[in-house]
Amino acid sequence: MTMTEVPLRAADGALGRRSGPDLHRAVDMTDPAYLRLGLPLTASPLAVLRAAVRALHPDTRAVRGFRAARKRFYRQMLCAHAARQAAGDQR
């Protein structure tokens, strides 16, 4: 590994630094974090976001350095919910 390559950290989540088409392949409908939210198929994106925020520990929400990781987590939950709605999954 060269000095310019940065390995993925555990805090970066499953999405890592992917973008474009790879982003959609990285989001899996069986994501355990998404399943723990326990949302119905008809939930709005705002309800998904609220549930994702509540799922994080208050100390995790308070650390400024985790802001980018939190945004990735929220985006991942929204993408997983949209994929579930598109598939018509009834879990």
Side-chain angles (χ1 to χ4, degrees):
M1 177 167 48
T2 65
M3 293 296 280
T4 57
E5 293 176 3
V6 178
L8 289 177
R9 297 184 326 240
D12 286 341
L15 293 180
R17 291 178 178 81
R18 298 181 194 146
S19 62
D22 288 337
L23 177 67
H24 298 291
R25 267 187 256 131
V27 175
D28 187 11
M29 287 187 344
T30 59
D31 182 4
Y34 172 73
L35 294 176
R36 277 193 299 271
L37 296 180
L39 296 167
L41 184 63
T42 58
S44 69
L46 183 59
V48 173
L49 187 58
R50 286 178 179 161
V53 169
R54 282 193 308 267
L56 295 177
H57 192 276
D59 291 343
T60 302
R61 291 193 313 252
V63 178
R64 269 184 82 79
F66 291 165
R67 185 173 185 201
R70 282 193 310 270
K71 284 184 170 186
R72 279 190 300 274
F73 173 72
Y74 300 147
R75 236 179 282 121
Q76 183 180 6
M77 296 301 103
L78 288 168
C79 288
H81 186 69
R84 181 177 165 212
Q85 283 181 327
D89 188 12
Q90 294 296 328
R91 268 188 255 187

